[in-house]
Amino acid sequence: MPANFHTIDHPLIKHKLVYIRDKGTSSKIFRELVREISAILAYEATKNLPTKSVKITTPLTKTTGHKIDMEKIVIVPVLRAGLGMTEGVLSLLPGAKVGHIGMERDHDTFLPTDYYFKIPSRPKDKSFLVLDPMLATGGTVIDTIHRLKDSGALDIRFLCLIASPEGVKALNEAHPDVIIFTGVVDEKLNSKKYIVPGLGDAGDRLFGTE
Ligand code: URA
């Protein structure tokens, strides 16, 4: 696995993945689990964010603390399944901005285009956390990150719940500078490009559209 790739090997993630994979889990519980796992991923993915010292007065004395510049963090859920991760990440980073990106392939040219793109101004000064629960072939995330870089973004991390070995390789080859955080790497992709064992279609399970 590449150097800038991290599997978050934590009992809480392992435990929650049992329920999230289970086909009998309702959309309500599925959404809660996606939110909870995303918060744990965000905790790990923000470990090396810069902080600046600030003076504080406690009821007892003056001291110094360390603050993250929340205004400089942009959470970017990839439409549509990435939306399910947003609340979990925001629970740890309530002051972060939220951008949205929807990518699709042009039917004629097969070139990736964005059907929705809205991110805050001055992207080069910001740290981006791109969210998509499933890193399958990597195609959509690779296109999304190209689009972000075209707009000026420099510091980009990618967070997913489940990755395929093929997706990790493809994303790392396309964007070796992007740090990847996942809950687990599964066995493989099947012929329909679903992750196996996986959890099925994350968007359908989040939004009840099966
Ligand atoms: N997207 C999903 O939602 N699930 C997969 O297994 C692959 C891509």
Side-chain angles (χ1 to χ4, degrees):
M1 283 295 166
N4 61 359
F5 169 82
H6 305 274
T7 302
I8 311 309
D9 188 19
H10 194 292
L12 279 174
I13 293 199
K14 289 190 167 82
H15 178 85
K16 290 176 192 297
L17 281 170
V18 170
Y19 296 95
I20 212 166
R21 288 185 192 280
D22 190 327
K23 67 177 188 180
T25 297
S26 67
S27 280
K28 176 181 185 289
I29 303 294
F30 189 89
R31 279 195 292 272
E32 287 172 11
L33 290 164
V34 170
R35 197 178 65 220
E36 289 164 7
I37 297 173
S38 303
I40 301 169
L41 293 171
Y43 173 81
E44 294 291 336
T46 50
K47 259 186 178 163
N48 66 351
L49 280 181
T51 55
K52 61 178 179 207
S53 41
V54 287
K55 303 235 177 293
I56 333 158
T57 308
T58 77
L60 303 178
T61 185
K62 290 185 191 306
T63 186
T64 305
H66 303 275
K67 274 175 79 169
I68 297 171
D69 192 350
M70 290 275 178
E71 296 267 311
K72 291 202 167 158
I73 301 174
V74 187
I75 300 167
V76 183
V78 178
L79 301 178
R80 104 187 128 134
L83 291 172
M85 299 175 71
T86 309
E87 282 300 319
V89 178
L90 274 175
S91 68
L92 294 195
L93 301 165
K97 312 271 185 202
V98 183
H100 292 91
I101 302 187
M103 298 294 297
E104 64 188 357
R105 292 259 158 188
D106 185 283
H107 286 303
D108 301 321
T109 64
F110 299 108
L111 289 172
T113 57
D114 55 280
Y115 63 85
Y116 193 81
F117 186 82
K118 187 83 182 168
I119 62 166
S121 56
R122 292 184 298 282
K124 77 171 174 41
D125 303 329
K126 308 236 171 15
S127 296
F128 288 82
L129 301 179
V130 176
L131 314 178
D132 197 345
M134 308 297 278
L135 176 59
T137 62
T140 307
V141 170
I142 290 170
D143 293 345
T144 301
I145 292 174
H146 275 305
R147 182 66 183 86
L148 272 179
K149 287 182 174 175
D150 286 348
S151 75
L154 299 171
D155 176 12
I156 304 174
R157 289 149 227 233
F158 174 67
L159 281 61
C160 62
L161 272 59
I162 301 181
S164 73
E166 297 90 331
V168 174
K169 184 167 179 292
L171 176 53
N172 184 252
E173 281 173 7
H175 298 291
D177 54 313
V178 171
I179 311 172
I180 307 169
F181 298 87
T182 187
V184 68
V185 181
D186 270 5
E187 201 183 313
K188 60 177 182 189
L189 291 178
N190 70 11
S191 59
K192 293 186 172 155
K193 308 298 182 200
Y194 275 84
I195 300 178
V196 180
L199 49 71
D201 187 296
D204 282 346
R205 296 198 60 191
L206 277 165
F207 302 114
T209 46
E210 267 163 298

